[in-house]
Amino acid sequence: MVEPEEIEGIADALGAVTHDEIVELAQELAYKREENIPDEEEITIMLEKAVSKHLLEAISIEELSEADAKDSEDVNYYIVGPHAFPNYPFDLSEVIDVLKLGRREVDPDKITKRFSGRLKARITKIRHNIEDFANGHNNSIDIPTLENRYSDLLNLYYDYDSWLEGEITEMEDEILDISKQIDALGAAQDI
């Protein structure tokens, strides 16, 4: 079976790759290796896990530098994410040739815009969580929950900051302000 790191290698080698292309590549690689050929569901589960762990990230055709005539506007593409450590399958170039796939280039400015927008949305969401907690509107949120969400946000910020080619450092002050708000809420609760 194709390993998750090899899926990352496939995405890295091709720049951006669709779900169907990954399925075809993984199945062709397994065939060449004389392994059990994975079905689409197995590969889909592997892709979902990779995206949830930021090994791969999903983008749209809008983030590609140039779209091929065969590229569809309603298809998502996968690119390597900030946590990826790609491993390039030995027979990858041969399989790419067999399937007649070419490299797609992504637009780094558009990628930065997309992912900084996602980070901004997470900042907004945690600010709402803080407000709900402070006003007593959500009993399922407590200080440890806010601290965990903040920690996840901070880690994602640093991952994106080192991964993206554009600057997202202007969000650092907002993120640090969230930490101060959570600390103040925790101190007020201890009184």
Side-chain angles (χ1 to χ4, degrees), residues 69-171:
K70 64 182 179 182
D71 288 333
S72 174
E73 289 193 27
D74 59 348
V75 172
N76 285 326
Y77 298 84
Y78 294 98
I79 60 173
V80 292
H83 292 171
F85 290 98
N87 180 9
Y88 304 93
F90 178 73
D91 295 332
L92 181 59
S93 62
E94 186 179 336
V95 172
I96 287 172
D97 289 342
V98 166
L99 296 175
K100 296 180 175 40
L101 297 174
R103 181 168 173 78
R104 291 183 185 96
E105 297 297 328
V106 296
D107 184 321
D109 293 332
K110 291 178 181 176
I111 295 293
T112 298
K113 184 176 179 182
R114 172 180 281 270
F115 289 97
S116 64
R118 286 183 184 177
L119 191 61
K120 193 74 152 160
R122 288 188 68 168
I123 289 170
T124 301
K125 185 174 180 176
I126 197 167
R127 284 189 184 277
H128 287 300
N129 290 160
I130 290 169
E131 188 176 309
D132 285 348
F133 174 79
N135 294 327
H137 295 145
N138 189 338
N139 294 336
S140 66
I141 298 175
D142 57 10
I143 295 297
T145 300
L146 291 173
E147 289 172 341
N148 285 335
R149 290 179 184 173
Y150 171 75
S151 177
D152 291 343
L153 174 68
L154 185 63
N155 289 334
L156 188 60
Y157 166 76
Y158 285 124
D159 291 340
Y160 281 0
D161 189 43
S162 64
W163 176 61
L164 297 171
E165 292 185 20
E167 290 292 320
I168 63 167
T169 53
E170 72 277 356
M171 287 186 230

Side-chain angles (χ1 to χ4, degrees), residues 16-21 59-64 66-77 104:
V17 61
T18 67
H19 177 272
D20 291 344
E21 290 168 342
I59 63 167
S60 71
I61 195 170
E62 296 170 5
E63 283 81 38
L64 298 180
E66 291 182 18
D68 289 338
K70 64 182 179 182
D71 288 333
S72 174
E73 289 193 27
D74 59 348
V75 172
N76 285 326
Y77 298 84
R104 291 183 185 96

Side-chain angles (χ1 to χ4, degrees), residues 30-74:
Y31 175 78
K32 287 197 69 58
R33 296 174 181 174
E34 299 179 356
E35 298 175 343
N36 290 335
I37 297 175
D39 62 21
E40 184 173 352
E41 185 177 335
E42 290 175 284
I43 298 167
T44 299
I45 291 168
M46 190 182 313
L47 287 171
E48 289 169 353
K49 286 181 183 177
V51 169
S52 72
K53 295 178 181 179
H54 300 287
L55 303 171
L56 295 175
E57 297 288 355
I59 63 167
S60 71
I61 195 170
E62 296 170 5
E63 283 81 38
L64 298 180
S65 294
E66 291 182 18
D68 289 338
K70 64 182 179 182
D71 288 333
S72 174
E73 289 193 27
D74 59 348

